[in-house]
Amino acid sequence: MGHNSFYVTTPIYYVNDKPHIGHAYTTILADVLARYHRLMDEPTHFLTGTDEHGQKVQQAAKANNVSPLEHCNNTVVRFQELWQRLGITHDDFIRTTEPRHTQIVQAILSDLHERGLIYSASYKGWYCVPCERFYTEKDLVDGKCPECHRNTEELEERSYFFKMSQYQDRLIDYIESHPEFIQPAHRRQETLGFLKKQPLGDLCISRPKARLSWGIELPFDHDYVTYVWFDALVNYISAVGYRTNDALFSQWWPASYHLIGKDILTTHTVYWPTMLMAMGVELPKTVFAHGWWLVGDTKMSKSLNNVVNPMAMIDQYGVDAFRYFLMAGMSLGQDASFTEKIFVERYNADLANDLGNLASRAIKMIERNFAGLMPPCAEIGDDERELATLCLAAAGNMAEAVKNMQLDNGLGTVLATVREANRYFDKMKPWVLAKSGDLATLGRVLRHTMECLRIASGLLYPCMPKKMTILRRALGISEDAITPHMPRLSQWNVLSEGAKVALDEALFPRAEYKEDAPAAAPPAMAPTPKEKASKKADAVPGVISIAEVGKVKLQTAEIIAAEPVANSDKLLKLQVRIDQDLRQIVSGIAKFYSPDSLIGKHVIVITNLKPAVLRGVESNGMLLAAEHQGVLRLITTDGPIPSGASVG
Ligand code: MSP
């Protein structure tokens, strides 16, 4: 590969999920890294895409009455649209249903099968449908799936296995001799711990079509499709010409970074490297596992109804502010907390106050005192020298931060420099200089402030490309230099004297956080101190406040499927559609409704109810119904209204 090239990948996202902040985070991170590397003139390739096979897609397609591919075609656009809005500059978007991918997966399978590295055997185990994974009895926790804690079914079937076990020692050696391979270090320890704890088993890489038909057919047995992970991981090489375009492949492979979330560490640091070893392909240079975004200190989940919707955040605060918050707010490798309140506080402090205000104050003074033309650089005093040294150091710091995957540190240094420029500005009191007519000193102060803003705008550009383009234009930078070039950011006195300086509107208008109108996720369920106080005040038995009513989230839903729950004459297991999502709800209405009579009914559901397990079946929500003297009727809507509409 070209030694200087940079190839970064994101996980390919399950197409049946709505994109959330976690998906947005990894993709923005990859984008910011790709943009930095491009600014450093490194040939860069950035790949993202979607993971389109598997049980969940098959089920969702069935529920929507469309073919699985149609379902994928309909839903992939959610990701593509979001990436466009977020200003993501991927070079390629791979879908695992594309022939350029499926053909390579099949070629790899044939090859490994012919070489005896894939064999057939009978397998008995416990299968978790949502996770699409088999477990041994000892893996189960209280008889349930160790990952998602749902029920598993015991199944026996003939399957195909990849001889993963034979690579165990080689993989341990590789990880130990390549400390950069798994980062951060604690994740490396996690994988090593896993590999050293027990003998590594072989990997079941097939699923019988009788159970799951939506997958890549095994080239040597038409009754089976490929296990989704064995299919999905290959995207990283099928997209860059593995087996089809050697020149392209050697240009980009091995990848510089596979960026992943911590939950998919084993697949990327055990399955994937052993697959590559079997294929005789070099391993990626680094698999980097980042932490999770939590909402407050709670895990994000559909059933808690606290999933942060990136589109809502962008609508309210703008793309660049959202990108900035995600990059500055997470120390790579650790979990981070997202709440709209923290977001607004950081936005106001860093962007509206420190950066935006300084730019608008300095530019306004140039407009007023220098007819909007950039003043000369003039002589440099101690204060200016200090400021310049800091700014130039920030450029070096950022390059290091990018190399060491410490973007939050790099951004922190830039913002610290901007704060220093604010101090310099306030210390020099340009408004006093303007009043006294000392234009020479005034010009010097403004010009040095502008130089600092130029460097900051360049260093922040990969993170906030739109706003920093506006800022750079406002600083009078000519169009051919609007995209910053890293070496220029390590020089002082670059702006052109006499260039037109102008900023039409505030770069980052101050935002206000309104507690009762969240853009992204509903407020936490715990009462706020204000709520607690109001509760005390109106403590009339049986009477609740409007805030308490607001805690119950009611939505319209359409019943898509219904069936009885085994060993119960009261319960029905329902699948309901709520906007684009499907949910399973168990409801005690079997005595009043036959399953068939329910299909297509538009009902009202409590959607933020804690999940429960009834007769071994998970239930995520509750249908509203009225009961009177032994008669029960579901509450439905008076006329058509789309599912997912909020009720209240
Ligand atoms: N399809 C697989 C990946 C296959 S890669 C060959 C997959 N898809 S996913 O859509 O479920 O998840 C994609 C990524 O989102 C994972 O890296 C996961 O860690 C990340 N996140 C999901 N929730 C997250 C947060 N709350 N915070 C940060 N990232 C999280 O897994």
Side-chain angles (χ1 to χ4, degrees), residues 372-398:
L373 302 178
M374 181 68 74
C377 200
E379 96 247 39
I380 291 190
D382 283 350
D383 289 314
E384 288 78 21
R385 201 163 290 117
E386 219 172 278
L387 183 64
T389 309
L390 265 181
C391 291
L392 300 177
N397 248 317
M398 183 55 96

Side-chain angles (χ1 to χ4, degrees), residues 390-454:
L390 265 181
C391 291
L392 300 177
N397 248 317
M398 183 55 96
E400 276 299 294
V402 171
K403 211 165 78 203
N404 301 329
M405 294 291 264
Q406 290 173 336
L407 281 181
D408 60 320
N409 271 348
L411 295 171
T413 314
V414 181
L415 262 293
T417 311
V418 172
R419 273 190 283 280
E420 211 35 59
N422 273 293
R423 267 192 284 278
Y424 164 75
F425 197 81
D426 291 343
K427 180 178 170 194
M428 302 310 277
K429 298 195 173 51
W431 53 94
V432 175
L433 298 170
K435 236 187 196 160
S436 68
D438 182 357
L439 287 188
T441 317
L442 177 64
R444 185 177 97 205
V445 171
L446 295 174
R447 172 60 189 264
H448 287 290
T449 305
M450 299 298 265
E451 285 290 335
C452 174
L453 286 169
R454 174 185 62 83

Side-chain angles (χ1 to χ4, degrees), residues 456-528:
S457 71
L459 296 175
L460 296 173
Y461 177 90
C463 188
M464 296 188 281
K466 283 200 178 116
K467 292 285 185 179
M468 291 307 105
T469 300
I470 297 174
L471 176 55
R472 291 171 71 75
R473 255 184 216 127
L475 300 179
I477 296 175
S478 61
E479 281 309 306
D480 57 341
I482 282 291
T483 305
H485 191 222
M486 280 296 169
R488 300 285 268 177
L489 302 178
S490 309
Q491 293 164 14
W492 199 248
N493 190 9
V494 166
L495 291 165
S496 316
E497 182 184 339
K500 181 89 190 121
V501 171
L503 184 61
D504 296 337
E505 51 190 48
L507 208 49
F508 297 104
R510 265 191 86 77
E512 224 180 291
Y513 171 67
K514 293 187 206 79
E515 205 143 345
D516 48 351
M525 297 301 285
T528 61

Side-chain angles (χ1 to χ4, degrees), residues 10-15 17 20-23 25-26 51 79 229 232-236 259-264 268 290-294 300 330:
T10 71
I12 48 172
Y13 303 108
Y14 288 128
V15 80
D17 261 354
H20 57 60
I21 190 173
H23 305 125
Y25 173 70
T26 323
D51 192 352
F79 286 91
W229 274 102
L233 289 159
V234 171
N235 90 89
Y236 300 133
L259 303 177
I260 60 163
K262 63 181 182 179
D263 54 317
I264 52 177
H268 281 81
H290 62 71
W292 277 56
W293 279 99
L294 307 174
M300 246 177 20
M330 181 180 270

Side-chain angles (χ1 to χ4, degrees), residues 13-58:
Y13 303 108
Y14 288 128
V15 80
N16 49 315
D17 261 354
K18 247 197 218 157
H20 57 60
I21 190 173
H23 305 125
Y25 173 70
T26 323
T27 312
I28 294 171
L29 174 61
D31 187 61
V32 172
L33 290 172
R35 285 175 183 263
Y36 274 117
H37 283 269
R38 290 188 196 116
L39 296 190
M40 295 191 280
D41 287 334
E42 272 180 51
T44 296
H45 192 71
F46 166 15
L47 173 72
T48 188
T50 39
D51 192 352
E52 304 195 350
H53 291 121
Q55 194 114 332
K56 279 175 242 165
V57 172
Q58 184 172 302

Side-chain angles (χ1 to χ4, degrees), residues 109 112-113 116-120 160-163 205 220 230:
L109 287 164
L112 298 186
H113 187 240
L117 291 166
I118 288 179
Y119 62 91
S120 148
Y160 287 89
F161 292 86
F162 162 53
K163 283 192 181 165
I205 54 100
F220 41 82
F230 201 91

Side-chain angles (χ1 to χ4, degrees), residues 20-308:
H20 57 60
I21 190 173
H23 305 125
Y25 173 70
T26 323
T27 312
I28 294 171
L29 174 61
D31 187 61
V32 172
L33 290 172
R35 285 175 183 263
Y36 274 117
H37 283 269
R38 290 188 196 116
L39 296 190
M40 295 191 280
D41 287 334
E42 272 180 51
T44 296
H45 192 71
F46 166 15
L47 173 72
T48 188
T50 39
D51 192 352
E52 304 195 350
H53 291 121
Q55 194 114 332
K56 279 175 242 165
V57 172
Q58 184 172 302
Q59 279 168 349
K62 196 170 160 210
N64 284 304
N65 236 343
V66 291
S67 74
L69 186 58
E70 271 177 278
H71 177 73
C72 295
N73 291 342
N74 293 340
T75 48
V76 68
V77 289
R78 294 181 200 164
F79 286 91
Q80 291 168 333
E81 278 167 14
L82 179 61
W83 300 158
Q84 202 180 3
R85 279 208 68 194
L86 281 172
I88 303 298
T89 55
H90 48 284
D91 297 289
D92 195 1
F93 187 103
I94 189 159
R95 301 179 54 186
T96 53
T97 46
E98 288 176 67
R100 64 167 170 155
H101 174 74
T102 56
Q103 281 163 8
I104 299 304
V105 172
Q106 288 188 320
I108 293 169
L109 287 164
S110 295
D111 183 43
L112 298 186
H113 187 240
E114 272 161 31
R115 291 166 47 218
L117 291 166
I118 288 179
Y119 62 91
S120 148
S122 170
Y123 182 80
K124 195 168 168 183
W126 294 86
Y127 188 70
C128 174
V129 179
C131 297
E132 297 170 36
R133 268 184 74 173
F134 269 105
Y135 294 98
T136 61
E137 183 131 23
K138 74 173 183 357
D139 291 333
L140 303 183
V141 177
D142 297 330
K144 297 193 193 283
C145 170
E147 292 289 327
C148 73
H149 313 294
R150 284 184 250 218
N151 288 335
T152 51
E153 309 165 23
E154 193 179 21
L155 289 179
E156 177 166 12
E157 58 193 23
R158 202 170 61 81
S159 295
Y160 287 89
F161 292 86
F162 162 53
K163 283 192 181 165
M164 188 160 75
S165 57
Q166 76 180 48
Y167 298 97
Q168 180 165 14
D169 292 341
R170 221 176 116 186
L171 182 57
I172 292 176
D173 284 350
Y174 187 89
I175 297 173
E176 286 184 332
S177 58
H178 293 79
E180 74 293 352
F181 175 53
I182 305 174
Q183 288 180 36
H186 61 279
R187 298 289 167 215
R188 178 166 165 261
Q189 290 314 328
E190 194 177 318
T191 299
L192 277 175
F194 169 82
L195 283 169
K196 289 179 172 178
K197 193 172 67 191
Q198 68 222 337
L200 186 62
D202 288 342
L203 182 67
C204 176
I205 54 100
S206 64
R207 296 291 180 262
K209 275 192 187 168
R211 184 147 53 76
L212 169 69
S213 58
W214 183 236
I216 301 177
E217 191 178 276
L218 293 188
F220 41 82
D221 191 332
H222 303 318
D223 292 335
Y224 289 83
V225 295
T226 313
Y227 168 47
V228 273
W229 274 102
F230 201 91
D231 155 358
L233 289 159
V234 171
N235 90 89
Y236 300 133
I237 54 175
S238 63
V240 289
Y242 176 60
R243 295 179 84 119
T244 55
N245 185 340
D246 291 346
L248 185 71
F249 189 58
S250 59
Q251 187 185 353
W252 300 121
W253 193 259
S256 313
Y257 282 104
H258 287 328
L259 303 177
I260 60 163
K262 63 181 182 179
D263 54 317
I264 52 177
L265 185 71
T266 311
T267 50
H268 281 81
T269 58
V270 179
Y271 298 5
W272 182 225
T274 54
M275 285 164 68
L276 289 166
M277 284 175 177
M279 289 177 226
V281 173
E282 247 183 287
L283 305 196
K285 285 190 209 150
T286 297
V287 175
F288 194 104
H290 62 71
W292 277 56
W293 279 99
L294 307 174
V295 174
D297 51 12
T298 313
K299 199 175 156 182
M300 246 177 20
S301 90
K302 271 193 209 163
S303 48
L304 287 176
N305 206 21
N306 65 352
V307 177
V308 179

